[in-house]
Amino acid sequence: MADIKSSMDLKYVICSIFFMLLYQTSVGQSLNDIQNIKVDNLSDAQVEQLIKRAESAGMNEMQLEAMARERGMPASEVAKLRSRIEALRRGTSQQAGSRQAAGTQERQVEGFDIDADIFDSLRKSDPYFDLTPTQKKIFGYKLFHNRDLTFSPNLNIPTPMSYTIGAGDQLLIDIYGASQQSYDVRVSPEGRIMIPNVGPIQVGGASIAAASSRIESAMSRIYEDLKGSNPTTFLQIRLGNIRSISVSMVGELTKPGSYTLPSFASVFNALFAAGGPNENGSFRYIQVYRDNRLFAEVDIYDFLVRGNQKSNVILRDDDVVIVPPIRNRIEISGPVRRPGLFEIKPNENVRDLIQFAGGFSSQAYQERITVKRTSSSQLQVEDVDAANFSTFSPRDGDEFVVGEILNRYENRVQISGAVFRPGEFSIPEDGMGIKELITKAEGLRGDAFLNRAILYRTKEDLTLEAVSVDLQGLMEGTVPDIELRREDVLSIPSRYDLKEEFYVKISGEVNSTGAFAYGENMTVGDLVLKAGGFKEAASNSYIEIARRVRNDISGKIAEIINLEIDENLKITPEDAQLKLLPFDHVFIRRSPGFQREKIAKVEGEVFYPGEFALSNANERISDLIERSGGLNQFAYPEGATLIRRTEYYKGKTEEELKEMNLKSVRERLDREGISINEAEGILLERLIKKEEERQLQRRIENEKLKEQKLMSDFRADRLQEITLGDTSLIDIELKEQELVGINLQYILNNPGSSQDLILQEGDVISVPKELQTVRMRGQVLFPTTARYNELRGFRSYISRSGGFTENARRSKSYVVYANGDVKRTRNFLFFKFYPSIEPGAEIIVPRKPVRTPLGPQQWVAIGSGLATLGLVVVQIINLSQ
């Protein structure tokens, strides 16, 4: 036993080595004979295998193509191979780049691994991945290569009476009625079954019906009630486990050989087990031989086209299924439902071929088919008309090409423009004119331009012709109608398409300025009404209209029209009749006596600090201090300051202030809730509506601001590029407010003097308490705040902060006083005169500027310049002598 096992192991090792050598030989042979490969005959799986073999040999795709060209592969086949590889890559992997060649090192990313089998997704998406393009075109070929389809016989069907019993079948015999008995017997190799007390019964080769009669006749010897005119005992035979049969599959099959199948198996079951006919196998003349005679001929097309399985006979043991080579295979291409390769019998015609191809598609030209076929010496082309489809017989190798319908309309006309239903329309067989076409389009719109329409016509030489149409005369019948031709396009313009869009503008003191659509007979009052009415600031003196000047070469730019209005902002009856013209610009002036309140503020040590409305345009500091009750006993007038807005102050506009106030009103009404009356409720609705409109307008403005900011950023970038390295440009801090130094005590003692400044909106007068400290900032060793001592001077306070640092620029030190005044250090010869110190002052010591030392090149340049200057001086002296 051990010897047998060791002998089997040795055989296994020898077989393994043999197959490994065979595989390596096939790999080398495939790459060495690459010049003989026909790419169109390779399946996707074979292309994949070729890539893997190249990689195992240390080549990437580019090296594989180079080797193919070197070994003589035609350029067209190399291009096909490249496109097939690229198609596989696109369909399966999003990773870019070629594979690395052997011996090279490539950077790797930790945690990122590429699937070794990048073709898995293609296999899952295409169930016919292993088929070549030619195999996919053969009609019926996919039937036996579909993984989702199986032809396994159904073993759970009722026992067919025509089933032929053979050796190995299990028969279940049931006796019921007056007598009850069951028998489970199996057919012997001699075709007999053995029943106790009855003996052997010959059933082999008989059908279920014939075997039932024999068994019933034999069983009647022990069950007398089985026979007679009125039996009381009955017999039933069922087929239990069925036997297996051996069938030989030969001929043009994918996997020919002998197959063991269930006895219920049909021809289709056997073909599916053998992989179906190969590329050269016939699908229409499959032969079944039984007992050395032709028993049946199977046509798979009957099943594929008509669903007929009449020829799909049940096989028996030792049957032989032969798939002969194809006899007549033709190809049909073009707009048919199922283009491909088809097998045609001699008695079939073109109409049968079209039926096999699923019929014409909607884009097919069905009146004629072109046939490319071979004669005895060369190629030829024939045309098959639709009338001859039933009589024309295809031949082996024919290629039927179905043409497409022309991309043109044979009876289409179009109408566009000022009609109610523009679009495409058909020309009846008896013809149609322009007037009927307009009727089909449901007539002309009111804005149609009747003087002229244009009919665009395609001439016979495919050039464009424009035909002018007197539309008004045609519709009134005074000019003859024009007969339309195919592809005519009638364009009826609108009167508004032939002129500018009219508008009028209004500016000034109205609630909604801007441009509005112009309407005939529009007056200034109508326009003011559309603009939301006058503002409170509107002038009651006059309204100005600027009107465009036409046909005037004197240099006049606009015609100015003035309209008078009364104190109630009503236009006089005479001027109210003035009609506006397109593009008029109406100006509503601001009343010169209208002034919005201006607010100034007093804070600090006064009796009534807070905000105050300026009473007149020349109100001064002393006036506002007086209105605030004057200074209290804690005030320090020497430290008082005036805070004033600069030109960079971004305050709220009048519209924003108005919006803020209305929002406050709306919020208050919302808080009061149900306690508001009807008038307040209506006001609340108006405010909500206006706020929604303002929000929409704000969104639009924000979008414009974003665009402007992008442009300004772009300009700033360009300016930075231009001024890069220009040290003369100094950053300037843009402040919205600044301190103005004032002498409040002098102002109060001398009201109306030059120091008593006129106030502006937003001014803040700050009066502090008496200050008792002095601050030191900048280039001192310990910046701090010290108590004020009238006996100490500038240098004494610097000493209190530790003294100057090494980088301190002493000559530029300065003092900022509590009221905002500034004094700097003055220099005379070698002496420095520092400013005096007062309570609340702040000492600032700036830093020395950073100086870059001169390098060797600069010193050489200076020396060269001095030497040159010396030579020039010497030369001048010599010339003067």
Side-chain angles (χ1 to χ4, degrees), residues 225-363:
D225 295 339
L226 279 173
K227 292 291 186 178
S229 58
N230 190 18
T232 57
T233 301
F234 305 94
L235 180 144
Q236 179 182 0
I237 296 178
R238 293 178 292 114
L239 193 62
N241 294 331
I242 61 175
R243 71 186 186 279
S244 298
I245 61 174
S246 178
V247 178
S248 298
M249 306 294 296
V250 296
E252 300 297 331
L253 287 159
T254 304
K255 296 180 291 183
S258 296
Y259 289 86
T260 300
L261 304 172
S263 57
F264 279 2
S266 65
V267 178
F268 280 8
N269 302 138
L271 289 173
F272 188 78
N278 60 23
E279 291 186 35
N280 297 320
S282 173
F283 283 77
R284 315 216 48 192
Y285 298 99
I286 299 174
Q287 300 167 349
V288 179
Y289 280 83
R290 182 172 296 167
D291 298 331
N292 299 324
R293 290 179 300 177
L294 179 63
F295 175 73
E297 191 171 69
V298 180
D299 187 351
I300 298 178
Y301 279 24
D302 284 341
F303 171 71
L304 293 175
V305 178
R306 306 176 184 90
N308 183 5
Q309 296 195 65
K310 185 177 181 180
S311 60
N312 188 22
V313 296
I314 302 298
L315 296 176
R316 291 188 183 178
D317 200 15
D318 295 330
D319 279 355
V320 179
V321 178
I322 301 176
V323 178
I326 56 172
R327 301 180 186 179
N328 294 312
R329 176 180 287 172
I330 64 171
E331 182 176 2
I332 184 170
S333 59
V336 291
R337 305 293 181 186
R338 193 165 48 218
L341 299 171
F342 297 87
E343 190 175 354
I344 298 295
K345 290 184 175 181
N347 60 339
E348 292 175 340
N349 50 47
V350 176
R351 194 167 299 282
D352 296 318
L353 172 63
I354 295 172
Q355 182 184 7
F356 294 154
F360 293 110
S361 70
S362 59
Q363 298 297 317

Side-chain angles (χ1 to χ4, degrees), residues 24-42:
Q24 293 178 358
T25 303
S26 65
V27 171
Q29 188 69 20
S30 297
L31 294 179
N32 291 333
D33 296 341
I34 193 171
Q35 69 273 14
N36 299 322
I37 292 177
K38 299 297 182 184
V39 179
D40 288 338
N41 295 331
L42 296 178

Side-chain angles (χ1 to χ4, degrees), residues 509-535:
E509 300 303 318
V510 289
N511 287 306
S512 179
T513 60
F516 295 87
Y518 171 76
E520 293 185 11
N521 301 321
M522 177 182 281
T523 64
V524 175
D526 300 330
L527 181 57
V528 171
L529 184 63
K530 288 187 70 66
F534 293 110
K535 286 185 178 180

Side-chain angles (χ1 to χ4, degrees), residues 549-561:
V549 175
R550 300 173 178 83
N551 302 322
D552 191 328
I553 60 174
S554 64
K556 189 176 183 180
I557 298 177
E559 179 184 356
I560 305 301
I561 302 173

